[in-house]
Amino acid sequence: MLDCRILERNFQRIATDVIGPKRLEAYAAEVVAHLDADYCYVVQERDEWTATVLFSTASAEPMPAFNPVQLNEMTGESPFFHQQPFVARRALKSLFGTCKQVSGFRLEHYTFKGWILIGWKEPVEHTTFDIENALFRFGDKVLINYLSLQRIALEQQYRFLFSVVPQAIVLINELDDVGWVNQAAIELLNLEPDELRPPAAALSAGMLALRNRTLNKEAIQETAAQLLSNPNFMSKEWIWTFPEQVLSVLTRPIHSPYFKGRIWLFNDVSELYTKTQQLTEANREIENLISVIAHDLKSPLATLSFIFNFLPMHGPLNDEQTDNIEYGQKTIKRGLDLIDSIVYFNKLISSNQPLTMYDVELDDLVDVVVDGFVAQAYQKEITIHRQRTDQPVLLHTDPESLVRVLDNLISNALKFSPFGRQVYVETEWRGPELTIAIRDEGPGISPDDRVKLFRRFQRLSAQPTNNEGSSGLGLSIVKSLTEKMGASVEVDSTLNVGTVFRLVFPAEYVRIGDEEEVSNNRA
Amino acid sequence: MSVVKRNNVQVLGKPDAAETLVFAHGFGTDQTAWQDVAEAFADKYKIVLFDYVGANEKTTPFFNTRKYKHLQAYADDILDVLEELALRQVILIGHSVGGMTGALAAIQEPSWFSKLILVNASPRYVNDSDYQGGFDQQTLDELFAQMQRDFHAWAGGFAPRIMANADRPHLANGFIQTISAMRPDVALAIARVIFQSDHRADIAQLQHPTLLIQGTHDLAVPHAVGHYMENHMPNAWLTFIDAEGHLPHISHADKVVQAIRPFLLS
């Protein structure tokens, strides 16, 4: 009868005295001595036909992989097996070719599957109970040893992995009072040097101190409030601005049965951010410049106009002179209109002023706009046709902007239509959406032109047919305003057939008005 | 699962025959390479055909670089098959590296084999001072690099040269197909193991009567290799057959059968 207490005591001594990979060797030597055995192996099963020897008392040299089929056959219902007499089949010959008795214990852990094996050259008298008892205890030591080595290896891999990324990474563990950080985070949060597992308190203090240094505290506070009220809060590009840098912060919770916490990732986006700022600034300067130039151009033009007005007062003018003055005045007017458009467009894109939206009766508004073009249409022998919805519609919109958009589109339709054609202004339902279409029988827009249609100052190939002026700004204003109103603009065009510009208003801006409402909301 | 499935083992021929022929294929082919030769013996022998792990789509799932890093692992697989089918005293007929692997198996378990027939086999492919293996290291490095760059393009160039017999292009095309059935990374890993192997010391231990069959014109295995083996193996006879290419069992099956037949009866 073997005394397993001696074995346990010796195991305990090893656990305190021996460290690292040597420990397994010491345990194995202890078991071999305890059981008067000759060989001890720790074997890992890699797959059905492949097993590798992790540890051997027989040889320090690596042994080739072998087929564990005989081990699998010997392992029955119970993890322990004992065979005497034992005959090694082919695959086990290199391990137990000289053994007449073999015992094994199957280890079945999700990170480690395999066996611990003991071999005797000659049979010994120990009971199987004693052998199983010793192997059972040894099995625990093997597993713990394997797992702790594996954990060290994993930790080293993590350290390496996270030390090479430029981002600062902080892992908060809600179940434990230590967190996990990488070197970049230690520097960012001003934590204890080289302490990759800082106490939770130090981490919170570091994060708070970081937040307190930000320039955009209020904005951060607002988002932080969401974080406090919602444990599942996630943020991807939360901008923290500092005098010397800008951080984009990612945070998300990690919830698994084994870990509860939150990951924080601080990404330095200073360069990107500064570049964007510079670009925005440059853009703003250009817009300002345009505004100033436009205004400055206005006054000489006004002076010119003033002078032209007074020319007839200096004496009678002949017909040619009168015609020239008239042409001059027209040109000045066109110049002033262009300047107005530029100033308007600049204001439109550079100001974030919301529009004044309210319910207007649509037919009425469109009629007023169309009426304004009757004279111009008449000059080119064009008829403008109106088509309405069955029931009056109330549109929630900014009427001033809508008028400007329609003005532009109808004026374009007339401008580019040849003499004697038709222009249609149609209000229609398209499912729940409302559309206002301005259709002409003009030259159409070539595919090349369609790409640049809504860009500023684009001159397209189609030309006005009656010497009308064109600033190249009209359609860009249409697009900006339409989008500000929450609508969109579509174009359909066939060369030599005509073009349709269609404003599309989503259902939420449109409703069918009853009579009283309609009359209250007339333009 | 049984190793019969792992190695896609087929048992054919005469079920109650006294003798069993185990056919082992070489690199870039699978058991179908032996079709014509095996058929010639199916009336009198039990025939065992199998695929080495990694040779084709069926066996590739069982490939891992941990195990298959030397030819011994493939020899173990042959022994697994014989063990599971309870076959003893078999006659192993192996082509190229399949033959060398069979030799390693027979050295490990001598009583499981009675005779060996090695077709265009080689214990070492790389030249070494006095030894002429047919390849120098630089050529091999270039070959591996090509395999890695574009496996299928490499196969398209390699197969016709190794198969030869340009007057019968379907042979090279068939070889391209069986090479291409290998997963490129697996093929590269196996090719490295084969071409870097050196079993000159091992073959000296093979006591079994062994017939060495060699084609007269083989780009992969020079005549010197055949003579080397005959001189260094205790119980081997070398016979040349008039055949072009490294795969005479495919291109000149009749001649291979003729060479094998008297040896089986001896």
Side-chain angles (χ1 to χ4, degrees), chain A residues 195-362:
Chain A
E195 180 54 277
L196 295 176
R197 310 292 311 271
L203 258 183
S204 324
M207 303 253 293
L208 193 66
L210 182 71
R211 224 170 81 188
N212 282 335
R213 285 205 300 115
T214 53
L215 299 175
N216 59 336
K217 268 195 218 69
E218 275 175 34
I220 293 175
Q221 190 53 47
E222 227 169 84
T223 313
Q226 292 177 44
L227 171 64
L228 280 178
S229 61
N230 175 12
N232 291 320
F233 177 79
M234 282 189 206
S235 146
K236 209 174 160 193
E237 282 164 356
W238 185 6
I239 295 294
W240 292 23
T241 316
F242 299 86
E244 73 286 359
Q245 67 176 350
V246 180
L247 297 177
S248 171
V249 181
L250 174 148
T251 174
R252 55 170 48 181
I254 305 174
H255 286 163
S256 88
Y258 312 99
F259 186 85
K260 189 164 148 56
R262 173 168 285 277
I263 187 158
W264 291 81
L265 195 138
F266 299 88
N267 200 8
D268 189 336
V269 291
S270 308
E271 202 175 330
L272 203 70
Y273 196 78
T274 324
K275 291 261 156 70
T276 315
Q277 295 283 79
Q278 283 168 350
L279 280 179
T280 315
E281 190 56 36
N283 242 347
R284 196 176 301 138
E285 262 173 43
I286 293 169
E287 305 293 355
N288 282 342
L289 194 65
I290 291 175
S291 221
V292 170
I293 293 172
H295 272 109
D296 287 359
L297 276 175
K298 247 179 156 175
S299 67
L301 281 179
T303 313
L304 264 184
S305 172
F306 184 77
I307 293 169
F308 278 8
N309 273 333
F310 278 84
L311 276 181
M313 296 178 192
H314 298 298
L317 303 170
N318 63 26
D319 285 355
E320 202 184 344
Q321 286 169 328
T322 313
D323 280 354
N324 280 337
I325 287 176
E326 202 177 306
Y327 181 66
Q329 290 285 28
K330 258 192 186 166
T331 310
I332 291 169
K333 168 86 170 37
R334 221 149 69 189
L336 288 171
D337 284 350
L338 174 58
I339 292 169
D340 280 345
S341 296
I342 294 172
V343 172
Y344 179 80
F345 184 74
N346 250 320
K347 211 166 82 189
L348 189 68
I349 58 165
S350 54
S351 85
N352 287 324
Q353 287 278 310
L355 300 177
T356 328
M357 308 270 284
Y358 52 90
D359 288 352
V360 285
E361 207 284 305
L362 184 64

Side-chain angles (χ1 to χ4, degrees), chain A residues 46-50 52 64-67 69 89-91 93, chain B residues 1-3 6 62 64 66-67 76 79-80 83 108-109 112:
Chain A
R46 306 283 187 166
D47 63 40
E48 206 179 336
W49 303 287
T50 319
T52 49
F66 67 94
N67 186 336
V69 60
R89 288 207 325 246
R90 176 183 55 81
K93 270 185 189 165
Chain B
M1 199 175 65
S2 107
V3 293
R6 178 188 69 189
F62 310 119
N64 69 67
R66 186 183 298 114
K67 174 174 172 183
D76 279 343
L79 296 174
D80 280 349
E83 191 169 31
Q108 198 181 325
E109 292 294 343
W112 296 16

Side-chain angles (χ1 to χ4, degrees), chain A residues 389-438:
Chain A
T389 48
D390 294 340
Q391 286 169 296
V393 167
L394 285 174
L395 185 66
H396 187 74
T397 192
D398 171 33
E400 202 181 310
S401 299
L402 183 56
V403 166
R404 194 145 192 144
V405 167
L406 292 172
D407 254 343
N408 261 306
L409 292 177
I410 298 171
S411 137
N412 273 352
L414 293 174
K415 214 186 281 180
F416 293 100
S417 289
F419 280 64
R421 300 293 171 83
Q422 317 293 320
V423 166
Y424 302 84
V425 179
E426 299 158 335
T427 319
E428 279 175 335
W429 290 103
R430 189 169 75 183
E433 300 169 330
L434 183 85
T435 68
I436 308 173
I438 291 88

